[in-house]
Amino acid sequence: MPRRRGLSARMKLALSYAGFLTVAGALLLAVVWGYLLRYVPDHPQGLLGISPNRYLLVRTFAPAAAVAMGFLLVFGLVGGWLLAGRMLAPLTRITAAARTAGTGSLAHRIRMEGREDEFRELADAFDTMLERLESHVDGQRRFAANASHELRTPLAISQALLDVAREDPARDREELLARLRTVNARAIGLTEALLLLGRSDRGLTAREDVDLSLLAEEAAETLLPLAERRGIGLDVTGTAAGTSGSGELLLRMVTNLVQNAVVHNLPSGGTVTVHTGTEDGASVVRVENTGPRLAPELVPTLTEPFQRATERARTDEHAGVGLGLALVHSIVRAHGGTLALLPRPAGGLTVTVRLPGPPRTRRNAPAPHAPARTIGR
């Protein structure tokens, strides 16, 4: 929206300083005039018959007062202009940084030196905002590049299969259809995961009361066939853990945690333990599994989209697209919770999700205890 150009902040401050100084000088002269000259006689002989009298003092004092007022006005303008420029110098740097950021360059930082004051607090807050914005933009760029690569892979495979079928009509049609179905299912799964990730990043539009212990049991029942095929023991323990949020997203969060724990486990004889409960007023879901040892420096990267740890790539129907823990992290963040990943010394991973507990009015109600339950082996 275009606006008419007005006085700059520096000019406004300079005029304010000059006006204040002029008014203060006028008040001082008025005090002198009122309290000094009124005691001087106004007759021709002056006080005790000695000149000067009030008339002469006024004629002498008035020109000097006018000169003093003019000096105060000029001094106030010049001094106010210089002082305003010095005071507004940090704001000029912040404005320049904002304009630089507006061009798309987010690497610039103000890094204002000096003691703490309002301008430096603003500069530090602006630097923090730029740092987070740069990190977010870089993450979105990496995400877009990785998503494009991941989506291009199944499409390229489908294209190659179709080209082979066209060049070799005698090729087994059922085998071709099965492979195309597998590739297409992977592309659909990736697309749905991307849509769900975008939805969780936009935040929650509606909330409902959710019991995480029930979601854990539902996820375990759904993944029981997968655990049985892999010879993985799946245990669900703990108590009720109420929270508020999207039941669909929270179910996907728990399902992803359990599925990751089953898929990235020992070849056989491994275990997965899902525990729910409350700790310090927060509702907790903790998923612990056996598996290969993970390097500590690798663990923080597992929540990034399309990141897979060593030995995480699979060739079966549960290979995943590298969005499992990224989805979990996004859903937890949308619900105002925290996600902690801790590698186990013996191998495997412990994932702990903490979400805000139920409203205070419901916290005093006793939570039903759910005994340890072995879902499958």
Side-chain angles (χ1 to χ4, degrees), residues 20-265:
F20 178 80
L21 190 59
T22 303
V23 171
L27 290 175
L28 180 61
L29 293 177
V31 170
V32 173
W33 188 288
Y35 283 89
L36 177 61
L37 294 183
R38 72 175 180 173
Y39 293 107
V40 178
D42 198 20
H43 51 79
Q45 296 299 323
L47 183 62
L48 299 178
I50 304 174
S51 294
N53 56 22
R54 185 185 299 178
Y55 172 76
L56 294 176
L57 286 178
V58 169
R59 292 193 61 181
T60 305
F61 179 75
V67 172
M69 291 297 298
F71 174 78
L72 288 177
L73 179 60
V74 174
F75 180 79
L77 286 173
V78 176
W81 179 264
L82 296 177
L83 289 176
R86 183 176 179 85
M87 292 296 297
L88 294 177
L91 190 59
T92 303
R93 292 179 58 183
I94 297 174
T95 303
R99 288 174 177 169
T100 302
T103 62
S105 176
L106 301 176
H108 178 72
R109 299 292 182 271
I110 301 174
R111 294 188 178 90
M112 191 170 294
E113 63 282 349
R115 296 185 178 181
E116 190 73 18
D117 60 14
E118 290 80 358
F119 285 120
R120 283 160 185 79
E121 289 181 0
L122 178 61
D124 292 342
F126 193 81
D127 283 344
T128 302
M129 181 194 69
L130 284 179
E131 183 176 357
R132 293 180 178 177
L133 186 60
E134 182 183 22
S135 176
H136 178 73
V137 171
D138 289 343
Q140 290 296 322
R141 289 173 179 171
R142 291 195 304 270
F143 178 82
N146 290 331
S148 300
H149 175 75
E150 293 286 340
L151 284 171
R152 184 177 58 185
T153 299
L155 295 176
I157 294 175
S158 299
Q159 182 66 40
L161 291 174
L162 292 174
D163 290 342
V164 170
R166 184 178 59 182
E167 296 175 359
D168 185 9
R171 189 178 181 87
D172 189 353
R173 182 170 178 268
E174 293 299 327
E175 178 186 358
L176 174 64
L177 291 177
R179 294 185 64 181
L180 284 174
R181 182 180 180 85
T182 300
V183 174
N184 188 62
R186 177 179 173 84
I188 292 175
L190 175 60
T191 303
E192 291 178 348
L194 291 173
L195 292 174
L196 187 59
L197 184 62
R199 174 186 169 187
S200 60
D201 282 338
R202 288 195 301 269
L204 303 178
T205 57
R207 288 179 176 268
E208 58 182 317
D209 293 336
V210 180
D211 187 352
L212 297 177
S213 64
L214 299 180
L215 299 185
E217 290 189 2
E218 182 177 350
E221 292 288 354
T222 301
L223 295 170
L224 176 59
L226 174 63
E228 289 179 339
R229 286 200 303 270
R230 294 175 176 271
I232 303 297
L234 187 53
D235 298 336
V236 179
T237 66
T239 59
T243 188
S244 176
S246 169
E248 178 187 354
L249 290 178
L250 291 175
L251 177 60
R252 183 60 181 265
M253 175 195 75
V254 178
T255 302
N256 279 10
L257 289 176
V258 177
Q259 180 175 340
N260 278 359
V262 171
V263 173
H264 308 302
N265 211 306

Side-chain angles (χ1 to χ4, degrees), residues 250-295:
L250 291 175
L251 177 60
R252 183 60 181 265
M253 175 195 75
V254 178
T255 302
N256 279 10
L257 289 176
V258 177
Q259 180 175 340
N260 278 359
V262 171
V263 173
H264 308 302
N265 211 306
L266 296 175
S268 62
T271 61
V272 174
T273 301
V274 183
H275 179 81
T276 61
T278 57
E279 297 178 3
D280 300 328
S283 297
V284 178
V285 178
R286 183 174 291 107
V287 180
E288 185 174 0
N289 71 318
T290 55
R293 292 184 179 181
L294 297 176

